[in-house]
Amino acid sequence: MRLTLDRRDGAGMAGLFLSPLLAVALTLASSIVVFWLLGQDPWRALNVYFLMPVSDFWGVQEVAVKATPLVLIAVGLALCFRSNNWNIGAEGQFLIGAICGGGIAVWTQGWGGPWVLPLMLVAGMAGGALYALIPAVLKTRLRVNEILVSLMLVYVAELLLDWLVRGPWRDPFGFNMPQTITFAPEATLPLLFDGGRMNLGTVITLVVVVVATVVMARTLKGFEIKLVGEAPRAARFAGFDDKKLTLTVFAVSGALAGLAGVMEAAGTVRQLLPGFSPGYGFTAIIVAFLGRLNPVGCLIAGVFIAITFIGGENAQIILRLPRDMTLVFQGMLLFYILACDTLILYRPRLVPRRAPA
Amino acid sequence: MPLLAAEGLTRRFGALVANDSVDLTVMPGEIHALLGENGAGKSTLVKMLYGLLQPDAGIIRWKGDAVTLPTPKAARGLGIGMVFQHFSLFDALTVAENVALALDDARPLRAVSDELADISRAYGLPLEPRREVWRLSVGARQRIEIVRCLMQNPDLLILDEPTSVLTPQESEGLFATLRTLRAEGRAVLYISHKLEEVRGLCEAATILRQGRVVDRCDPRQQTAGSLARMMVGAHIAEVRRARAEARIGPVRLRVDHLSVPSEDPQGTALKDVTLEVGTGEILGIAGVAGNGQDELFAALSGEVRAPEAGNIVLEGTPIGWNGINARRRAAAAFVPEERLGHAAAPRLPLSENALMAGHAKGGFTRRGLIDRGRMLGWVDAVTHAFDVRKGPRDPEARALSGGNLQKFVVGREILGKPRLLVVAQPTWGVDAGAASLIRQALIDLAARGASVLVISQDLDELFEIADRMAVIFHGRLSPAYPAEDLTREAVGLLMGGEGFGPGREAA
Ligand SMILES: Nc1ncnc2c1ncn2[C@@H]1O[C@H](COP(=O)(O)OP(=O)(O)OP(=O)(O)O)[C@@H](O)[C@H]1O
Ligand SMILES: [Mg+2]
């Protein structure tokens, strides 16, 4: 016997929504088994992971703080991936954004004004965009593989940040710790509520989600992105220039990742230091796919992943479970969503090796 | 005893019944035609017989026994081979490598090469085992697919619209091969829209209409007209031409000494092409496939820019450096040869395929936002004017049968009221009724004063609609002659390169 997959007819729209929901449900079910095997009370563990993070307003704000960079980066990546451009280096663009914006905060320390923050945000976006244009230009001019270049540039950005905070930008009064000064108030994003860390960055991200949704669904640019990804030759017939588009989507996704970086620096961490990002740029790839490369989908997926991050921290403290559990969740989630996609689009069938003659 | 008998085969796609209780009997040593309009369900039926689609109901009998065909491999195991209209070959590999890869049992390349050479000699299918596929013509590629099937020693060979991409000479070669196979007692199931061809070749025919078998006949006893009537259940209109001299006016499109190197290494460069199309005129360009038609289309559409702006002049304005959308705004429209992937995006709905070609001229957007209502309205208009048969109102392009998609892409451009229409292979794979509809639409467009340039390999088509004709050969274009001064033989000679001296101007 052998397993084959037959394409199902007319499963398009249902699969779009069914598959992520089913994947989440299966992840929860499997995690019950995992907790049980670890000798934990599954209900208590689920509670710690998925309910405690959102059980009070402070927790909800923490979830928003984590979800903000994930969603912002994922929305940019979704535009890229839709048009068949594979930007895997959002993590690097995120760090460069933080460096460009943070550099302004360090430089204007002591003599800045209300103009500092807008300047930082613009610098962060510009830095991220330019950094993302490196693989894009190499792809369009020399046909260099953008996956490799964008990925390798992540390590360049990490090392650059490392050098800056250990060398020129180190806080002179920081006991030799590798970190910059804490940013001045005019270089930080205002908080939305007292007694929490949610800041203006979350609002900016929601605006970006709305704009991206309209662009994708209702504008010619969104149609161009879709068409170039679906059928490049037809896109040329439609008069769209795929090379220009590659540059555009890389610049936009780099700008959004850079914006996420500078907002993380100016809003949440308020200084630069080496392990500044817990890998947001990479996790955002999962978020983008879990969200079906759709801006609103990315928002929902980003919140869900953020909850598992916070839940993981809680579980470390309360249940003494290793932090790796969070990665196990994310891995299971990605696995289930791919499986659900396949099974909803295709019907598996066991067939005999030889047809009866 | 029949070789193959299908009894009550039914296949649905959602609400649409593509095959409704179809019975089909193929005898050994018979060339059996499967006829029907676009979307009648011919491809669906043979895909079930080859194990590519599973029937929802009905049985297939092979030499009397009921069989299930879960995969094409199972079908090949029984002795059923199939050649698809769209080839599945690896361009970078050689002929022998392509054949070896497709065999169900592993055999050394050497043995495959030898056997391939034997078969190609025995059946008159000339092929060089060591040639890379990208160097070969369409006809040669099809010969690979056929040889590939014959290597499995099939009792039944299924061919889905094999001649729609072949030159007349290549078609004749194919028929000779099929007659040899028949003489050996093998059966052939043959799908074609070319009814004359079917009359000369087949001794049995099953006719489908809207998924049902409506008739069976011996095509040798029929005329092309009576076969067409069985297919559509009605009379097919003759294409009517207006008097040419009366309406042809001043030159609208002028191509002036245009030379363009080809983008891909397998292509043909255009060399010093000069032509003119007047208002109200249809200019036909004949030629064997691969002689620069694709390059000429790309240069005219603006997908590839001309070296000099003045190489292409539309209504007095040099447009050689303009892109395709600037040309569309100057009231030009284009229909490329390849429907899926070039003229239409397979996985997008028809409405977005309408937007694709129409967005340059506006009308689909309101205050910068896409207006879905207008797009759907356009789809309805095209559907109505060109009789596009489809299930839902706005299906994905790939869910349409080949001919219906062709009607959609031609209709999409003609309804935009262009003053210049450049169209390649307008009736490629389209049934007789739809072909006459499309040709009539082209003639009517010209009668209203538009200029039409038709690139086609189908000489019958060109003689039917063109006012003047030119021939393209190795990237050069012959002068255009009035169609009534030309004979088929004269065009045939030009297509073979007669009169195109090396390095000289065409005679
Ligand atoms: N994968 C599919 N999904 C939905 N509908 C389909 C699919 N394949 C075919 N159809 C529909 O089934 C019907 C029969 O299609 P089929 O391709 O068998 O026609 P055909 O007779 O081969 O036509 P043509 O001469 O144009 O190739 C058409 O209405 C088509 O739209
Ligand atoms: Mg077909």
Side-chain angles (χ1 to χ4, degrees):
Chain A
M1 300 293 270
R2 190 167 57 90
L3 194 66
T4 65
L5 294 173
D6 287 347
R7 217 183 153 79
R8 284 181 212 254
D9 314 318
M13 280 322 265
L16 216 62
F17 300 105
L18 194 61
S19 174
L21 290 180
L22 210 59
V24 168
L26 286 168
T27 307
L28 292 183
S30 321
S31 55
I32 290 176
V33 176
V34 174
F35 287 134
W36 181 72
L37 287 175
L38 287 171
Q40 298 280 348
D41 173 6
W43 298 116
R44 177 155 175 258
L46 277 185
N47 186 29
V48 169
Y49 255 98
F50 296 104
L51 289 182
M52 260 176 64
V54 290
S55 61
D56 58 26
F57 189 52
W58 185 84
V60 170
Q61 292 200 43
E62 280 304 295
V63 169
V65 165
K66 280 260 188 282
T68 295
L70 289 176
V71 173
L72 196 51
I73 301 171
V75 167
L77 291 183
L79 302 184
C80 260
F81 295 165
R82 267 288 178 93
S83 62
N84 244 334
N85 285 295
W86 300 100
N87 178 7
I88 306 298
E91 178 77 4
Q93 295 136 29
F94 176 86
L95 293 176
I96 292 294
I99 289 172
C100 292
I104 290 178
V106 171
W107 175 50
T108 60
Q109 179 78 1
W111 53 276
W115 46 270
V116 170
L117 188 62
L119 188 66
M120 284 170 68
L121 296 182
V122 170
M125 290 175 73
L130 288 175
Y131 205 58
L133 278 173
I134 299 173
V137 168
L138 288 175
K139 176 182 180 176
T140 51
R141 288 282 158 80
L142 304 172
R143 298 191 189 194
V144 178
N145 184 310
E146 79 271 26
I147 299 179
L148 289 177
V149 178
S150 62
L151 181 60
M152 290 193 295
L153 284 173
V154 172
Y155 305 110
V156 176
E158 277 177 357
L159 292 172
L160 177 65
L161 175 65
D162 213 58
W163 173 71
L164 286 171
V165 298
R166 283 172 208 280
W169 290 0
R170 187 169 56 191
D171 180 1
F173 305 107
F175 308 104
N176 252 344
M177 298 274 277
Q179 59 190 33
T180 64
I181 46 139
T182 305
F183 297 166
E186 66 264 18
T188 53
L189 282 166
L191 296 178
L192 294 182
F193 305 98
D194 288 337
R197 295 201 297 162
M198 186 151 73
N199 57 51
L200 194 62
T202 306
V203 177
I204 295 179
T205 300
L206 288 175
V207 172
V208 168
V209 168
V210 171
V211 171
T213 305
V214 173
V215 167
M216 281 310 288
R218 295 292 304 276
T219 67
L220 274 179
K221 201 40 137 188
F223 177 63
E224 176 177 354
I225 288 173
K226 210 158 68 170
L227 189 58
V228 167
E230 279 291 337
R233 191 136 179 248
R236 223 166 128 186
F237 182 64
F240 297 137
D241 181 340
D242 53 345
K243 290 191 174 170
K244 238 196 233 157
L245 185 72
T246 296
L247 298 177
T248 310
V249 291
F250 261 91
V252 168
S253 73
L256 291 181
L259 181 63
V262 62
M263 293 200 309
E264 181 75 2
T268 310
V269 184
R270 304 189 166 202
Q271 64 180 172
L272 295 178
L273 52 153
F276 164 79
S277 162
Y280 283 134
F282 291 117
T283 309
I285 298 174
I286 301 182
V287 173
F289 278 106
L290 188 62
R292 327 269 55 196
L293 304 184
N294 168 310
V296 175
C298 290
L299 177 64
I300 298 169
V303 169
F304 182 80
I305 296 272
I307 290 175
T308 67
F309 265 127
I310 310 259
E313 285 168 13
N314 290 349
Q316 247 177 305
I317 299 164
I318 300 173
L319 307 174
R320 310 213 164 281
L321 281 176
R323 214 178 83 91
D324 298 336
M325 263 314 284
T326 309
L327 296 179
V328 171
F329 275 138
Q330 292 176 0
M332 281 201 290
L333 195 56
L334 193 61
F335 170 80
Y336 279 127
I337 188 143
L338 292 175
C340 289
D341 274 357
T342 311
L343 293 183
I344 286 174
L345 285 179
Y346 298 89
R347 187 199 321 270
R349 220 157 35 88
L350 280 176
V351 292
R353 279 233 168 269
R354 281 255 160 247
Chain B
M1 186 177 51
L3 179 65
L4 176 102
E7 296 168 13
L9 278 191
T10 298
R11 169 76 200 200
R12 296 185 190 86
F13 292 108
L16 183 126
V17 189
N19 273 192
D20 186 359
S21 193
V22 170
D23 296 337
L24 171 76
T25 311
V26 181
M27 304 301 287
E30 165 180 278
I31 302 184
H32 191 113
L34 195 53
L35 303 178
E37 286 181 276
N38 295 125
K42 305 176 295 291
S43 298
T44 305
L45 176 59
V46 293
K47 280 180 191 162
M48 289 193 286
L49 300 179
Y50 190 56
L52 264 175
L53 283 176
Q54 297 308 311
D56 294 320
I59 45 176
I60 300 171
R61 284 186 195 282
W62 180 251
K63 298 178 181 167
D65 303 319
V67 293
T68 52
L69 299 168
T71 59
K73 192 171 167 186
R76 287 194 295 267
L78 290 179
I80 301 174
M82 177 157 168
V83 176
F84 297 91
Q85 182 171 356
H86 300 278
F87 305 144
S88 41
L89 298 169
F90 296 99
D91 279 355
L93 299 184
T94 64
V95 173
E97 285 164 344
N98 264 290
V99 171
L101 270 178
L103 293 178
D104 288 332
D105 48 340
R107 272 182 247 175
L109 196 58
R110 217 22 200 293
V112 172
S113 276
D114 291 345
E115 197 180 334
L116 195 160
D118 289 345
I119 289 187
S120 80
R121 217 169 308 120
Y123 292 98
L125 296 162
L127 274 179
E128 266 181 66
R130 278 136 84 114
R131 282 281 269 219
E132 280 143 2
V133 165
W134 64 262
R135 295 171 185 280
L136 300 176
S137 70
V138 182
R141 287 174 201 220
Q142 189 181 54
R143 292 199 288 274
I144 304 176
E145 297 265 6
I146 295 175
V147 168
R148 194 147 92 166
C149 285
L150 294 180
M151 296 276 284
Q152 314 272 1
N153 197 19
D155 295 315
L156 172 66
L157 185 63
I158 302 173
L159 301 160
D160 194 350
E161 295 191 31
T163 53
S164 55
V165 290
L166 298 188
T167 63
Q169 294 86 339
E170 284 171 331
S171 296
E172 279 309 321
L174 174 69
F175 301 151
T177 305
L178 296 183
R179 291 192 179 103
T180 314
L181 291 173
R182 168 168 63 191
E184 290 174 345
R186 300 178 208 257
V188 176
L189 187 56
Y190 187 82
I191 300 180
S192 176
H193 289 295
K194 302 192 178 168
L195 300 175
E196 286 300 341
E197 202 176 276
V198 167
R199 287 185 55 231
L201 186 68
C202 307
E203 54 259 341
T206 298
I207 294 153
L208 291 178
R209 193 191 309 156
Q210 292 176 4
R212 280 194 213 111
V213 176
V214 290
D215 225 326
R216 294 190 175 77
C217 66
D218 180 344
R220 289 167 302 188
Q221 317 283 318
Q222 305 286 334
T223 64
S226 65
L227 284 174
R229 262 198 302 286
M230 288 184 214
M231 281 163 48
V232 293
H235 192 71
I236 290 177
E238 285 271 312
V239 173
R240 283 171 297 104
R241 272 174 70 179
R243 290 291 312 143
E245 303 79 49
R247 54 191 173 81
I248 294 178
V251 173
R252 173 170 284 136
L253 172 76
R254 185 194 310 275
V255 176
D256 195 15
H257 298 288
L258 172 70
S259 296
V260 187
S262 183
E263 275 197 328
D264 68 316
Q266 303 85 303
T268 311
L270 293 180
K271 299 183 199 92
D272 203 29
V273 169
T274 296
L275 63 84
E276 284 177 352
V277 194
T279 55
E281 183 183 38
I282 300 181
L283 174 69
I285 294 186
V288 177
N291 271 291
Q293 288 96 330
D294 295 347
E295 288 75 10
L296 180 60
F297 181 86
L300 291 175
S301 70
E303 287 170 298
V304 170
R305 311 288 159 96
E308 299 290 333
N311 281 147
I312 304 176
V313 180
L314 178 60
E315 298 181 338
T317 315
I319 56 160
W321 285 348
N322 293 3
I324 186 165
N325 282 338
R327 296 182 195 195
R328 284 187 176 123
R329 281 188 287 268
F334 311 95
V335 181
E337 171 177 348
E338 189 80 36
R339 301 188 270 264
L340 277 180
H342 193 180
R347 289 149 59 92
L348 296 186
L350 291 186
S351 56
E352 297 191 0
N353 275 297
L355 177 65
M356 191 180 119
H359 71 88
K361 292 209 289 180
F364 287 132
T365 52
R366 197 185 289 168
R367 271 177 268 122
L369 295 184
I370 294 172
D371 187 339
R372 293 218 165 259
R374 288 190 195 177
M375 281 154 57
L376 281 175
W378 188 250
V379 171
D380 292 343
V382 174
T383 303
H384 179 74
F386 283 82
D387 186 28
V388 179
R389 314 254 174 101
K390 55 191 167 66
R393 186 178 178 196
D394 193 20
E396 287 183 359
R398 64 175 168 171
L400 260 61
S401 83
N404 278 302
L405 184 59
Q406 182 70 17
K407 287 190 263 179
F408 178 80
V409 297
V410 173
R412 173 181 77 181
E413 305 299 341
I414 289 186
L415 281 201
K417 299 201 177 69
R419 291 200 296 276
L420 168 68
L421 179 68
V422 179
V423 45
Q425 308 294 357
T427 58
W428 193 68
V430 166
D431 67 52
S436 91
L437 180 85
I438 289 176
R439 287 171 193 160
Q440 189 66 55
L442 294 177
I443 287 170
D444 294 346
L445 184 71
R448 289 195 301 268
S451 307
V452 180
L453 193 150
V454 182
I455 302 171
S456 177
Q457 290 174 51
D458 185 341
L459 284 189
D460 295 325
E461 170 164 282
L462 290 178
F463 273 109
E464 200 172 328
I465 63 176
D467 299 305
R468 286 187 305 142
M469 274 164 79
V471 172
I472 190 165
F473 177 75
H474 286 196
R476 290 168 193 283
L477 192 72
S478 77
Y481 305 100
E484 55 266 26
D485 297 352
L486 282 171
T487 59
R488 225 156 244 295
E489 288 65 40
V491 179
L493 285 176
L494 282 168
M495 284 169 68
E498 202 85 6
F500 288 86
R504 277 190 296 117
E505 283 286 328

